[in-house]
Amino acid sequence: MRLVIARCAVDYHGRLNAHLDPALRLLVHKGDGSLLIHSDGGSYKPLNWMSPPCTLAIEEPEGDAAAAGVIEQWRVTHRKSGDELVVQIYEIVHDTAHELGVDPGLVKDGVEADLQRLLAEQVDVIGDGLQLVRREFPTAIGPVDLLLRDPAGGTIAVEVKRRGDIDGVEQLTRYLALLDRDPHLTPVTGVFAAQEIKPQAKVLAADRGIRCVTLDYEGMKGVESGAPRLF
């Protein structure tokens, strides 16, 4: 991973166009090829970014850019869409690279792990007639929390969160794109299940054809292995 603190301007060209005026920012170039651009406040999310698969080319500035003081230009191109993220660097304050190695992965907190376990035992919360195929179903980019089968033979991928936001919907979208390529699983639909789902996440999920389910954690804890308890 390369970390660069630089005074830079940023332009995104593609399905949408965006511009950041020159300012001091943190550039994070990861081993998977992605580039993230952060400021010192406002949010943990980057101001702009390019997700993999993409390539980074470092160019010598020319013409007006060179005359304006640009010392280096980064051009990040998405291999599939052709979208470009162009970073014009005026000054580099810090530049370092680190080998992080293989990450062991996220260990979910107790509530989220319990939600997944309880939902696996009570898949009727998602819909009638569903059967659990597997918890933590593996994909090339990480495991899907639950994989279910519906009575018609279709596959349902379920992502379970304590608090559901846009990032969770994006994560499930990536899983669905991979799973739907498997002829043994297609067609695959998605369910985003959480105790609390933010309005923006619901809008994005609807746009992606993903169904949202709000989970009653306390109510689910009153049921064991799908058998309701009277007392």
Side-chain angles (χ1 to χ4, degrees):
M1 179 183 291
R2 184 181 178 188
L3 305 175
V4 177
I5 297 175
R7 185 167 301 280
C8 61
V10 183
D11 288 280
Y12 194 104
H13 307 289
R15 288 167 290 182
L16 57 83
N17 294 323
H19 174 74
L20 294 170
D21 285 331
L24 200 61
R25 300 184 176 98
L26 169 64
L27 311 178
V28 181
H29 185 225
K30 294 186 176 181
D32 61 6
S34 60
L35 179 68
L36 300 91
I37 301 162
H38 287 273
S39 65
D40 196 24
S43 174
Y44 65 92
K45 295 182 179 180
L47 297 170
N48 214 328
W49 67 93
M50 182 67 79
S51 301
C54 57
T55 56
L56 169 63
I58 299 179
E59 305 169 342
E60 289 289 333
E62 298 179 351
D64 293 342
V70 176
I71 61 172
E72 191 170 282
Q73 180 167 284
W74 293 11
R75 186 180 302 275
V76 186
T77 306
H78 197 275
R79 293 177 187 168
K80 293 182 178 179
S81 68
D83 288 12
E84 287 189 338
L85 187 65
V86 178
V87 182
Q88 293 184 318
I89 297 176
Y90 295 84
E91 176 190 9
I92 294 178
V93 177
H94 176 81
D95 188 349
T96 184
H98 306 271
E99 180 60 51
L100 301 186
V102 178
D103 192 272
L106 177 69
V107 178
K108 297 183 178 180
D109 64 41
V111 172
E112 194 165 300
D114 281 347
L115 277 171
Q116 185 192 117
R117 176 183 58 82
L118 289 168
L119 192 56
E121 296 174 352
Q122 306 167 47
V123 294
D124 57 304
V125 171
I126 301 298
D128 295 333
L130 301 180
Q131 292 185 333
L132 176 67
V133 175
R134 179 173 171 175
R135 290 178 60 185
E136 301 288 341
F137 186 88
T139 77
I141 57 174
V144 177
D145 288 336
L146 301 178
L147 198 72
L148 312 178
R149 286 282 190 188
D150 64 27
T155 307
I156 301 173
V158 183
E159 183 64 25
V160 182
K161 299 291 185 186
R162 183 173 61 176
R163 292 185 177 88
D165 57 18
I166 286 177
D167 288 345
V169 177
E170 293 283 10
Q171 180 182 0
L172 180 54
T173 300
R174 293 191 292 271
Y175 290 148
L176 292 173
L178 283 176
L179 293 170
D180 208 37
R181 298 175 191 170
D182 188 332
H184 299 292
L185 299 178
T186 190
V188 184
T189 57
V191 171
F192 190 52
Q195 282 183 277
E196 174 189 350
I197 303 177
K198 294 183 178 180
Q200 300 93 328
K202 290 182 179 180
V203 171
L204 182 60
D207 182 68
R208 302 283 173 84
I210 294 171
R211 183 161 63 92
C212 290
V213 174
T214 303
L215 301 175
D216 178 1
Y217 179 50
E218 296 301 323
M220 292 172 68
K221 285 196 298 183
V223 181
E224 294 180 352
S225 301
R229 295 191 315 198
L230 295 179
F231 306 100

Short mmCIF file of all heavy atoms in Angstrom, two decimals, residues 17 20-21 25 27 34 40-41 54 63 74 80 88 93-94 115 123-124 133 135 138 176 191 193 226:
data_model
loop_
_atom_site.label_atom_id
_atom_site.label_comp_id
_atom_site.label_asym_id
_atom_site.label_seq_id
_atom_site.Cartn_x
_atom_site.Cartn_y
_atom_site.Cartn_z
N ASN A 17 -19.18 13.34 -13.87
CA ASN A 17 -17.96 14.15 -13.80
C ASN A 17 -17.93 14.86 -12.45
O ASN A 17 -18.95 15.32 -11.96
CB ASN A 17 -17.92 15.17 -14.94
CG ASN A 17 -17.80 14.51 -16.30
OD1 ASN A 17 -17.13 13.50 -16.45
ND2 ASN A 17 -18.45 15.09 -17.30
N LEU A 20 -12.30 18.28 -7.80
CA LEU A 20 -11.81 18.77 -6.52
C LEU A 20 -10.71 19.79 -6.78
O LEU A 20 -9.72 19.47 -7.45
CB LEU A 20 -11.25 17.62 -5.67
CG LEU A 20 -12.24 16.56 -5.18
CD1 LEU A 20 -11.48 15.38 -4.58
CD2 LEU A 20 -13.20 17.15 -4.16
N ASP A 21 -10.87 21.01 -6.27
CA ASP A 21 -9.84 22.03 -6.42
C ASP A 21 -8.59 21.64 -5.65
O ASP A 21 -8.63 20.80 -4.74
CB ASP A 21 -10.37 23.38 -5.92
CG ASP A 21 -11.35 24.02 -6.89
OD1 ASP A 21 -11.22 23.76 -8.10
OD2 ASP A 21 -12.25 24.76 -6.43
N ARG A 25 -4.19 16.60 0.50
CA ARG A 25 -5.03 15.41 0.68
C ARG A 25 -4.15 14.18 0.85
O ARG A 25 -2.97 14.18 0.51
CB ARG A 25 -5.97 15.22 -0.51
CG ARG A 25 -6.93 16.38 -0.72
CD ARG A 25 -7.91 16.10 -1.85
NE ARG A 25 -8.88 17.20 -1.96
CZ ARG A 25 -8.78 18.19 -2.82
NH1 ARG A 25 -7.75 18.24 -3.67
NH2 ARG A 25 -9.70 19.15 -2.86
N LEU A 27 -3.59 10.40 -0.48
CA LEU A 27 -3.84 9.47 -1.57
C LEU A 27 -3.45 8.07 -1.11
O LEU A 27 -2.32 7.87 -0.67
CB LEU A 27 -3.05 9.85 -2.82
CG LEU A 27 -3.12 11.32 -3.27
CD1 LEU A 27 -2.23 11.54 -4.49
CD2 LEU A 27 -4.56 11.72 -3.56
N SER A 34 -6.80 -0.17 -6.45
CA SER A 34 -7.73 0.93 -6.18
C SER A 34 -7.00 2.16 -5.66
O SER A 34 -5.92 2.06 -5.06
CB SER A 34 -8.79 0.49 -5.16
OG SER A 34 -8.18 0.10 -3.94
N ASP A 40 -9.01 15.59 5.58
CA ASP A 40 -8.75 15.43 7.01
C ASP A 40 -10.02 15.53 7.85
O ASP A 40 -9.95 15.63 9.06
CB ASP A 40 -7.74 16.49 7.47
CG ASP A 40 -7.15 16.14 8.83
OD1 ASP A 40 -7.14 14.95 9.17
OD2 ASP A 40 -6.70 17.05 9.54
N GLY A 41 -11.17 15.52 7.23
CA GLY A 41 -12.39 15.61 8.02
C GLY A 41 -13.61 15.35 7.18
O GLY A 41 -13.52 15.06 5.99
N CYS A 54 -8.64 -1.72 -12.09
CA CYS A 54 -8.20 -0.47 -12.71
C CYS A 54 -6.69 -0.45 -12.79
O CYS A 54 -6.00 -1.26 -12.16
CB CYS A 54 -8.73 0.73 -11.92
SG CYS A 54 -8.23 0.76 -10.19
N GLY A 63 1.98 21.19 -21.14
CA GLY A 63 1.20 22.38 -21.48
C GLY A 63 0.77 23.19 -20.28
O GLY A 63 1.58 23.54 -19.41
N TRP A 74 -1.38 11.56 -12.06
CA TRP A 74 -1.79 10.16 -11.96
C TRP A 74 -3.08 9.99 -12.75
O TRP A 74 -4.04 10.73 -12.54
CB TRP A 74 -2.05 9.78 -10.51
CG TRP A 74 -0.83 9.77 -9.65
CD1 TRP A 74 0.40 10.26 -9.94
CD2 TRP A 74 -0.75 9.25 -8.31
NE1 TRP A 74 1.25 10.08 -8.89
CE2 TRP A 74 0.59 9.47 -7.87
CE3 TRP A 74 -1.65 8.66 -7.45
CZ2 TRP A 74 1.01 9.09 -6.61
CZ3 TRP A 74 -1.23 8.27 -6.20
CH2 TRP A 74 0.08 8.48 -5.78
N LYS A 80 -13.03 -1.91 -17.13
CA LYS A 80 -14.30 -2.30 -17.76
C LYS A 80 -15.08 -1.10 -18.27
O LYS A 80 -15.53 -1.09 -19.41
CB LYS A 80 -15.15 -3.09 -16.76
CG LYS A 80 -14.55 -4.44 -16.39
CD LYS A 80 -15.47 -5.20 -15.45
CE LYS A 80 -14.88 -6.58 -15.11
NZ LYS A 80 -15.74 -7.34 -14.18
N GLN A 88 -3.83 15.59 -10.38
CA GLN A 88 -2.73 16.49 -10.71
C GLN A 88 -2.05 16.91 -9.42
O GLN A 88 -2.66 17.57 -8.57
CB GLN A 88 -3.22 17.70 -11.49
CG GLN A 88 -3.75 17.34 -12.88
CD GLN A 88 -4.14 18.57 -13.68
OE1 GLN A 88 -4.76 19.49 -13.16
NE2 GLN A 88 -3.78 18.58 -14.96
N VAL A 93 4.20 16.00 0.03
CA VAL A 93 4.67 16.26 1.39
C VAL A 93 5.20 14.98 2.04
O VAL A 93 6.16 15.00 2.81
CB VAL A 93 3.53 16.85 2.24
CG1 VAL A 93 3.98 17.06 3.69
CG2 VAL A 93 3.03 18.15 1.63
N HIS A 94 4.58 13.86 1.73
CA HIS A 94 4.97 12.58 2.33
C HIS A 94 4.66 11.48 1.34
O HIS A 94 3.61 11.48 0.67
CB HIS A 94 4.19 12.35 3.63
CG HIS A 94 4.44 11.02 4.26
ND1 HIS A 94 5.53 10.76 5.06
CD2 HIS A 94 3.73 9.85 4.22
CE1 HIS A 94 5.49 9.52 5.47
NE2 HIS A 94 4.41 8.94 4.98
N LEU A 115 -27.20 -12.23 14.99
CA LEU A 115 -28.24 -12.01 13.99
C LEU A 115 -28.13 -13.02 12.85
O LEU A 115 -29.13 -13.59 12.41
CB LEU A 115 -28.14 -10.59 13.42
CG LEU A 115 -28.80 -9.47 14.22
CD1 LEU A 115 -28.42 -8.12 13.62
CD2 LEU A 115 -30.31 -9.62 14.23
N VAL A 123 -35.25 -18.83 8.79
CA VAL A 123 -35.25 -18.24 7.46
C VAL A 123 -36.65 -17.83 7.01
O VAL A 123 -36.79 -17.08 6.03
CB VAL A 123 -34.62 -19.21 6.42
CG1 VAL A 123 -33.15 -19.41 6.72
CG2 VAL A 123 -35.36 -20.55 6.40
N ASP A 124 -37.67 -18.28 7.74
CA ASP A 124 -39.03 -17.85 7.40
C ASP A 124 -39.22 -16.36 7.64
O ASP A 124 -40.20 -15.76 7.15
CB ASP A 124 -40.06 -18.64 8.22
CG ASP A 124 -39.83 -18.51 9.71
OD1 ASP A 124 -38.71 -18.84 10.17
OD2 ASP A 124 -40.76 -18.09 10.42
N VAL A 133 -29.20 -23.05 2.48
CA VAL A 133 -28.18 -23.83 1.78
C VAL A 133 -26.90 -23.84 2.61
O VAL A 133 -26.33 -24.89 2.88
CB VAL A 133 -27.89 -23.24 0.38
CG1 VAL A 133 -26.74 -23.99 -0.30
CG2 VAL A 133 -29.14 -23.28 -0.48
N ARG A 135 -24.45 -21.14 5.59
CA ARG A 135 -23.97 -19.88 6.15
C ARG A 135 -22.56 -19.63 5.62
O ARG A 135 -21.81 -20.56 5.34
CB ARG A 135 -23.92 -19.94 7.67
CG ARG A 135 -25.27 -19.97 8.35
CD ARG A 135 -25.11 -20.09 9.86
NE ARG A 135 -24.36 -18.98 10.45
CZ ARG A 135 -24.01 -18.94 11.74
NH1 ARG A 135 -24.34 -19.91 12.56
NH2 ARG A 135 -23.32 -17.90 12.20
N PRO A 138 -18.91 -19.18 0.37
CA PRO A 138 -17.70 -18.52 -0.14
C PRO A 138 -17.86 -17.98 -1.56
O PRO A 138 -18.51 -18.59 -2.41
CB PRO A 138 -16.66 -19.64 -0.10
CG PRO A 138 -17.45 -20.90 -0.26
CD PRO A 138 -18.76 -20.64 0.44
N LEU A 176 -23.81 -10.55 -5.54
CA LEU A 176 -24.84 -10.98 -6.48
C LEU A 176 -24.28 -11.10 -7.89
O LEU A 176 -24.62 -12.04 -8.63
CB LEU A 176 -26.02 -10.01 -6.45
CG LEU A 176 -26.85 -10.00 -5.16
CD1 LEU A 176 -27.88 -8.87 -5.21
CD2 LEU A 176 -27.55 -11.33 -4.95
N VAL A 191 -31.23 -10.12 -0.58
CA VAL A 191 -31.97 -9.59 0.56
C VAL A 191 -30.97 -8.92 1.50
O VAL A 191 -29.97 -9.54 1.88
CB VAL A 191 -32.75 -10.69 1.30
CG1 VAL A 191 -33.33 -10.15 2.61
CG2 VAL A 191 -33.87 -11.25 0.43
N ALA A 193 -30.62 -7.56 5.11
CA ALA A 193 -31.31 -7.70 6.39
C ALA A 193 -30.51 -7.03 7.50
O ALA A 193 -29.31 -7.28 7.65
CB ALA A 193 -31.52 -9.18 6.70
N GLY A 226 -36.14 -22.06 15.01
CA GLY A 226 -37.35 -21.92 14.23
C GLY A 226 -38.61 -22.33 14.96
O GLY A 226 -39.71 -22.25 14.41
#
